[in-house]
Amino acid sequence: QCILSGSWRSDTGCRMVVSILSKDGSFSGSYLPGPAASDPKILTSPLEGSQQDAGLVPQPTFSFTVHWRLRARTTAFLGQCYVGTNGEETLHALWLMREAAESPAEDWKATR
């Protein structure tokens, strides 16, 4: 049914844990990047997001942001949950990361 609550792992080893969705589709949780297993300085970072009502559409869209704890960065994710013929749920998402720029002249390189 594509409910985001639970634990998810990406192809690159990133981990996301999502709390129970609220009635309005909002959720919170935590995110840990894939390379973090080898770097003890990287902490799990909080995430906040929302999911389209899965009762209205079988494969809902979602969005969430991660506010990195040790760096002046925020990443926004936007995607959709798909249910395969075997019933397995898969998330497909794009992301955009913004770091703090030193000045307006440096703004051009602050978004990836």
Side-chain angles (χ1 to χ4, degrees), residues 50-63:
S50 64
Q51 178 182 348
Q52 186 178 21
D53 186 344
L56 297 177
V57 292
Q59 301 185 114
T61 59
F62 62 87
S63 64

Side-chain angles (χ1 to χ4, degrees), residues 72 98-111:
R98 176 68 187 211
E99 344 185 37
E102 297 291 322
S103 69
E106 299 293 314
D107 188 69
W108 66 273
K109 65 179 183 179
T111 302

Side-chain angles (χ1 to χ4, degrees), residues 13-87:
C14 298
R15 286 184 292 147
M16 175 175 77
V17 177
V18 175
S19 66
I20 297 171
L21 269 69
S22 300
K23 287 184 181 184
D24 67 356
S26 63
F27 61 87
S28 60
S30 58
Y31 192 89
L32 185 64
S38 62
D39 187 349
K41 291 184 232 168
I42 298 178
L43 300 174
T44 299
S45 296
L47 66 83
E48 299 278 336
S50 64
Q51 178 182 348
Q52 186 178 21
D53 186 344
L56 297 177
V57 292
Q59 301 185 114
T61 59
F62 62 87
S63 64
F64 64 91
T65 56
V66 175
H67 300 281
W68 302 103
R69 289 188 184 231
L70 291 181
R71 298 189 175 142
R73 294 180 180 169
T74 298
T75 303
F77 292 80
L78 181 64
Q80 187 169 356
C81 183
Y82 294 99
V83 179
T85 55
N86 62 356

